[in-house]
Amino acid sequence: MSPRHAGAPPPPPPAVYIFGDSTLDVGTNNFIPECAARADFYFNGIDFPYSKPTGRFSNGLNTADQIVRLLGLKKSPPPFLYLVNDPSNFQKNILQGANFASGGSGVLRDTGKAKRVIPLEEQIQHFSTIRSNITNMTGSEEATDKILSKAFILISIGSNDMFEYLLNLSKPMSLAEFNATLISTYEYHIKTLYELGARTFGILTVPPIGCTPFARAVFTGNNSCFEPAQAMAVQFYFDVGSSLEQFSSTVQDMKYSVGNTFLMTGVLTGDMLAFGLKNIAAACCGNGTYGCNQTASFCSNRDEYLFWDQFHPTQRASELVALTLFGAAEPIMVPMNFSQLLGVNI
């Protein structure tokens, strides 16, 4: 370590703006009237401080929490919908970040519509509101650009789009058409965020959703992984990587890191005992067809499970994913990992 680094305090963590689905939702859906995709009830949160169900689809901290902890933040940026209900602190808080992620949402506008969640397009509209408020504070668009250029944009979304397509028996389009629509819409959203001032992107792609307890129970019925869902997740990773590489080549000041969550989950499950995991197929709380709630059974050895419920990772699995995002090399992290992207050491 050089003398300059030895005595110098670490740089302050960047502002973090978080977009996506239940992987990163820290309570957004609690604030949506009539939302049918909520987790603000027991046994969710059993390992959160004071065993409090917060709206996270987890037994404790979720992936958003684990990532911002590694950045040096003591707690996750709160939901945007929480911030707008606290107008006296709104302007101060938005400079530190906000979480727009909504469980059940998707890249496509209609994904999760029946559950009254907030799609990615609307999440980005909320970010635009934050930009306008920052400009009101700074007095100039240039000053706002400078502030937002230093922020970290974290995105994890796509699983719900795929599940809804697979569950729709009257397919409105072919698989090839769906994949093309999904990536073109995703690319449009990335470009919109860039136009709003975002410059540094951390991307999580879709994990092996065909191996979730839900997919094992509903699609195959014999506890094996559902390969069509697996193939969609893999295709999405390659499409996202290609899209970001192409778009970033047309602009000068964009940085990004793509986490291949499909591959990293495969590493965890392929050597599960080395990571302290003993069950990579079943839900700790509930099962493949019964969600986690206060009437469900749940396991006591939660750190040994990959899945907390039908779809979502346990607190321990989320921690392992976050550490991988910051520490892994290609091909899991492309073209760099989060530590290299953000200049942090963990």
Side-chain angles (χ1 to χ4, degrees):
M1 179 179 290
S2 68
R4 181 175 66 84
H5 288 113
V16 183
Y17 298 100
I18 300 171
F19 302 81
D21 55 27
S22 51
T23 314
L24 303 178
D25 184 350
V26 295
T28 293
N29 288 5
N30 301 354
F31 299 93
I32 306 173
E34 300 179 26
C35 177
R38 293 173 65 153
D40 55 340
F41 47 80
Y42 225 45
F43 292 103
N44 294 302
I46 191 170
D47 296 312
F48 200 81
Y50 310 106
S51 294
K52 182 181 179 182
T54 60
R56 290 164 171 82
F57 295 78
S58 171
N59 57 304
L61 300 177
N62 70 8
T63 305
D65 300 308
Q66 306 285 9
I67 289 171
V68 300
R69 274 190 160 194
L70 293 175
L71 284 175
L73 293 168
K74 292 181 179 178
K75 60 181 181 179
S76 281
F80 171 80
L81 295 184
Y82 169 83
L83 293 175
V84 297
N85 288 320
D86 184 19
S88 61
N89 291 309
F90 182 73
Q91 291 191 329
K92 176 185 74 174
N93 288 327
I94 61 173
L95 291 172
Q96 299 165 19
N99 189 314
F100 309 95
S102 175
S105 68
V107 175
L108 305 176
R109 183 165 184 79
D110 287 343
T111 298
K113 189 174 183 179
K115 296 180 180 178
R116 300 192 180 226
V117 301
I118 302 175
L120 184 56
E121 179 181 339
E122 194 172 335
Q123 294 177 34
I124 294 171
Q125 290 169 3
H126 290 167
F127 179 66
S128 180
T129 299
I130 281 184
R131 180 186 168 90
S132 298
N133 276 269
I134 294 175
T135 302
N136 288 340
M137 283 187 275
T138 62
S140 78
E141 297 287 353
E142 292 77 12
T144 301
D145 285 338
K146 187 173 181 180
I147 290 170
L148 292 178
S149 70
K150 299 176 182 177
F152 178 45
I153 307 299
L154 178 63
I155 305 172
S156 177
I157 201 162
S159 298
N160 295 312
D161 302 284
M162 296 177 193
F163 274 131
E164 289 199 8
Y165 177 82
L166 291 166
L167 289 166
N168 187 347
L169 297 179
S170 58
K171 299 285 189 291
M173 60 181 85
S174 69
L175 179 58
E177 290 171 329
F178 172 80
N179 286 336
T181 301
L182 189 65
I183 192 59
S184 64
T185 308
Y186 189 93
E187 185 176 304
Y188 170 80
H189 291 322
I190 294 292
K191 290 179 178 178
T192 302
L193 284 167
Y194 180 86
E195 289 166 2
L196 289 170
R199 293 296 181 268
T200 304
F201 294 81
I203 306 292
L204 281 67
T205 55
V206 173
I209 58 172
C211 294
T212 57
F214 174 83
R216 291 174 187 267
V218 172
F219 291 118
T220 65
N222 60 7
N223 205 37
S224 63
C225 296
F226 183 55
E227 290 307 320
Q230 298 287 82
M232 291 176 77
V234 171
Q235 184 64 50
F236 186 67
Y237 166 73
F238 285 112
D239 288 344
V240 167
S242 175
S243 174
L244 287 169
E245 183 178 12
Q246 184 176 5
F247 177 57
S248 65
S249 70
T250 66
V251 294
Q252 303 248 326
D253 51 356
M254 175 182 169
K255 299 186 297 180
Y256 70 92
S257 172
V258 178
N260 186 342
T261 48
F262 189 97
L263 183 57
M264 72 177 70
T265 306
V267 171
L268 296 180
T269 57
D271 199 8
M272 63 183 192
L273 294 179
F275 294 99
L277 300 174
K278 294 183 179 178
N279 192 318
I280 59 171
C284 169
C285 184
N287 57 46
T289 57
Y290 190 75
C292 181
N293 57 46
Q294 50 269 66
T295 67
S297 60
F298 69 98
C299 65
S300 58
N301 54 334
R302 294 180 284 280
D303 283 355
E304 296 177 355
Y305 274 67
L306 178 65
F307 291 103
W308 164 239
D309 60 13
Q310 297 166 287
F311 301 103
H312 305 102
T314 57
Q315 173 176 264
R316 174 57 178 157
S318 293
E319 180 184 20
L320 291 170
V321 167
L323 288 167
T324 304
L325 290 167
F326 279 83
E330 293 192 44
I332 292 178
M333 301 300 299
V334 178
M336 66 188 85
N337 61 38
F338 282 12
S339 291
Q340 294 162 330
L341 178 73
L342 299 166
V344 298
N345 294 312
I346 61 167

